[in-house]
Amino acid sequence: MKDPYEILGVARTASAEDLQKAYRKLAKKLHPDLNPGNAEAEEKFKEIAGAYDLVGDAEKRKKFDNGEIDVAGVERPRQNYYRDYASSEQDHPYANNSGFTDFMDSEDGFAELLRRSARAQANRRGHDLEYRLPIEFIEAIAGANKRLTLPDGSTLDVAIPPGIIEGQVLRLRGKGAPGSGKGGFGDALIEVEIRPDPLFTRQGDDIYLELPVTLTEAVLGALIKVPTPTGAVTMAVPKGSNTGTMLRLKGKGAPKHVGGQGDQFVKLKVMLPKEPNPELEAFVSGWESGMTYKPREEWHHET
Amino acid sequence: MKLSKQEFLSLSGMGHDTLNTWIEEEWLVPSGTSLELSFTEVDIARARLVRDLQMDFGVNDEGVGVILNLVDQIYGMRRALMELRRTVRSTSERD
């Protein structure tokens, strides 16, 4: 921020009255509500208001002049100005047509245009209302019916289509704000927010799951019940599987836009018993190929 | 967003008596009944404008009424202009 005296265009020695005078002169030209056609007014007004907040107050001015406080941190925060509402198309109780009703009463083409505009304004469609709807990961894959409770206490039933993705927006026709006259209702726009799942992750139409298996299951193979977003299925883990082995459950992923389903990929993770196990230790000590297998053989580093 | 009188007072930082005066002067026109007034964000922004006029610009009560009336007419004309622009555009698109 620049020097507040410079912004207000006064000398550092200016009297309090001169400061106020300078501020009011600028503010009249720049107050956003009084200058709706001036797009830059808001930024400039913020600057002069911030400057005046600082040096227009005798105590703060003294501290500023002594270098005890600086210009940072005194800027007025962004606020909604009256013009933001008064200029919007939304109806508000202060709308006033008396500045041009006489134009509408005449019989020329311009009056006809104005009248048509007024009619259009009277029959404007309602606004779209935007909501956010958090859903569970599984609901995003399998679809769900959700009920959204609105701030005014009413409810909105939302059908989540299967396979929806994060940030997708659902449009409910006619569930937005009421319009004026014969304008009808706007739409409700619902942005879906998918909560992360502790088990599943998603990449495109495919779903990934890490499956812990016992040493016995990995070595000997097994039939294991595996969760999918649409319910558990039994999967054959082949004999001699390892940590990192990726198995595919065809068609158990998310529905694709073009039809069909993605897949679920199951990545195995071999888990030794949590506690040291004397039996396992005794077995492994006597297991010869356990000593000769070199899993780090392909590394080129010195280890 | 609908606000009760109490919510409006705390959000605008305004006193009870001041609010009554402003409503009497028709600077603010809340909806609802006199027993249960209802405010919106437009009223908050408008109250802030009145405060700016009084405190920052030193406008007296008579002046505030005159300014608000002119401001409302300007915004009314701006809306008509915007609507007119839309009508002209859609007409010329059709031609």
Side-chain angles (χ1 to χ4, degrees):
Chain A
M1 194 169 150
K2 285 187 290 185
D3 178 66
Y5 295 104
E6 203 176 301
I7 291 169
L8 295 170
V10 293
R12 291 183 80 90
T13 52
S15 68
E17 289 78 49
D18 287 344
L19 266 173
Q20 191 185 51
K21 233 167 112 183
Y23 168 66
R24 284 184 176 171
K25 198 170 165 192
L26 287 168
K28 266 180 256 176
K29 271 189 239 160
L30 294 172
H31 193 293
D33 291 341
L34 303 179
N35 299 277
N38 182 348
E40 291 161 10
E42 190 172 328
E43 271 314 300
K44 285 193 182 146
F45 180 71
K46 221 173 104 179
E47 199 177 51
I48 62 158
Y52 189 64
D53 280 348
L54 190 61
V55 295
D57 179 296
E59 204 147 298
K60 278 194 209 159
R61 182 181 180 187
K62 212 161 112 193
K63 283 190 182 161
F64 174 75
D65 288 346
N66 292 336
E68 288 167 43
I69 48 175
D70 63 19
V71 285
V74 297
E75 261 185 58
R76 283 197 187 176
R78 164 88 177 88
Q79 60 184 36
N80 279 331
Y81 286 100
Y82 181 62
R83 76 168 180 186
D84 298 331
Y85 302 99
S87 314
S88 83
E89 289 167 359
Q90 205 158 357
D91 211 24
H92 65 89
Y94 307 107
N96 183 331
N97 285 349
S98 60
F100 59 92
T101 36
D102 52 341
F103 283 114
M104 285 206 256
D105 293 338
S106 59
E107 284 306 323
D108 52 26
F110 182 64
E112 174 54 33
L113 268 182
L114 267 181
R115 282 197 293 269
R116 209 189 299 170
S117 302
R119 274 200 300 276
Q121 203 165 328
N123 289 317
R124 175 160 301 291
R125 183 176 159 273
H127 283 258
D128 293 341
L129 298 176
E130 288 170 24
Y131 302 103
R132 285 182 79 79
L133 176 63
I135 60 170
E136 301 302 329
F137 182 90
I138 288 175
E139 294 174 326
I141 306 295
N145 288 310
K146 301 289 283 184
R147 178 162 283 182
L148 195 62
T149 306
L150 308 185
D152 65 358
S154 62
T155 56
L156 207 56
D157 288 319
V158 188
I160 307 286
I164 198 164
I165 54 171
E166 173 76 24
Q168 201 169 328
V169 176
L170 300 171
R171 181 182 287 269
L172 298 186
R173 297 228 175 266
K175 298 293 184 186
S180 44
K182 294 175 190 157
F185 285 77
D187 300 337
L189 301 176
I190 293 156
E191 190 181 341
V192 170
E193 182 188 312
I194 301 172
R195 293 204 182 99
D197 189 272
L199 296 183
F200 302 110
T201 54
R202 179 170 171 181
Q203 279 178 37
D205 304 315
D206 296 327
I207 289 168
Y208 288 79
L209 169 78
E210 193 177 62
L211 183 74
V213 295
T214 65
L215 188 59
T216 316
E217 287 166 337
V219 172
L220 303 179
L223 289 174
I224 298 179
K225 235 177 163 186
V226 180
T228 80
T230 46
V233 296
T234 302
M235 184 182 75
V237 171
K239 196 169 157 170
S241 293
N242 206 340
T243 289
T245 298
M246 192 77 92
L247 302 172
R248 185 167 71 145
L249 292 171
K250 211 167 159 15
K252 290 295 175 187
K256 294 182 179 183
H257 279 301
V258 290
Q261 305 267 131
D263 302 324
Q264 176 169 321
F265 288 93
V266 179
K267 193 178 175 186
L268 301 186
K269 187 181 177 188
V270 179
M271 306 290 285
L272 294 179
K274 273 194 177 143
E275 303 291 325
N277 184 298
E279 222 181 321
L280 182 62
E281 282 164 26
F283 167 72
V284 172
S285 321
W287 180 42
E288 205 174 314
S289 45
M291 314 283 179
T292 53
Y293 172 50
K294 293 195 169 63
R296 292 177 295 279
E297 198 169 38
E298 286 166 14
W299 283 10
H300 300 296
H301 294 66
E302 299 286 330
T303 49
Chain B
M1 190 174 70
K2 285 222 182 298
L3 302 165
S4 71
K5 189 172 176 179
Q6 210 48 54
E7 288 169 319
F8 177 81
L9 287 175
S10 70
L11 271 174
S12 64
M14 211 167 152
H16 201 268
D17 292 344
T18 314
L19 176 61
N20 286 343
T21 313
W22 288 19
I23 292 175
E24 237 164 72
E25 295 280 348
E26 293 182 3
W27 296 349
L28 287 179
V29 186
S31 56
T33 63
S34 60
L35 287 176
E36 204 186 333
L37 294 173
S38 161
F39 297 84
T40 65
E41 289 157 308
V42 187
D43 300 308
I44 300 235
R46 191 172 168 95
R48 205 176 284 137
L49 168 60
V50 174
R51 196 215 65 98
D52 283 355
L53 292 174
Q54 291 182 322
M55 311 295 281
D56 289 6
F57 295 4
V59 177
N60 65 17
D61 285 1
E62 299 310 319
V64 170
V66 172
I67 290 170
L68 286 182
N69 181 31
L70 290 175
V71 163
D72 288 342
Q73 289 195 42
I74 286 188
Y75 283 106
M77 287 196 258
R78 284 183 64 83
R79 280 158 73 101
L81 261 183
M82 283 191 278
E83 205 54 61
L84 204 55
R85 178 172 63 183
R86 193 194 313 271
T87 312
V88 169
R89 272 189 189 157
S90 60
T91 315
S92 55
E93 268 166 28
R94 242 179 285 139
D95 292 346

